[in-house]
Amino acid sequence: LVVMWGLNGLMQSFGWPSCIKVLTPWIGSKERGRVMGVWCSCQSVGGVVGNALITFFMQRAGWRAAFFVCSILTLAIGVVN
């Protein structure tokens, strides 16, 4: 389990530099602080919304439904984007 968490952290660490490299040319230096603030808050907001959704579905339909519904929502968002 410790190895898996270590690999998780390692793989996630590759995402931030890539995002900065891709976003920087598109955003002017005057707007960059605001845009990066919003961009960075996505993870926190997603954690709160995700926990609320999982709790809602677990209380009403059990843990299997929570996994199923959240998976379907994630797939739908991926298809739309």
Side-chain angles (χ1 to χ4, degrees):
L1 187 59
V2 172
V3 172
M4 294 306 290
W5 275 112
L7 288 172
N8 178 29
L10 177 67
M11 294 302 143
Q12 286 191 28
S13 71
F14 293 129
W16 180 251
S18 303
C19 287
I20 299 301
K21 181 70 173 171
V22 168
L23 291 176
T24 300
W26 293 352
I27 302 165
S29 59
K30 292 181 180 180
E31 296 177 320
R32 196 168 296 147
R34 181 181 52 83
V35 171
M36 294 310 293
V38 170
W39 183 261
C40 292
S41 67
C42 291
Q43 182 178 7
S44 299
V45 172
V48 170
V49 172
N51 286 333
L53 278 174
I54 288 174
T55 303
F56 176 81
F57 289 118
M58 281 182 67
Q59 289 177 342
R60 282 155 185 78
W63 66 271
R64 286 184 176 98
F67 276 98
F68 180 72
V69 172
C70 290
S71 298
I72 295 298
L73 285 172
T74 302
L75 179 64
I77 291 169
V79 168
V80 169
N81 282 329

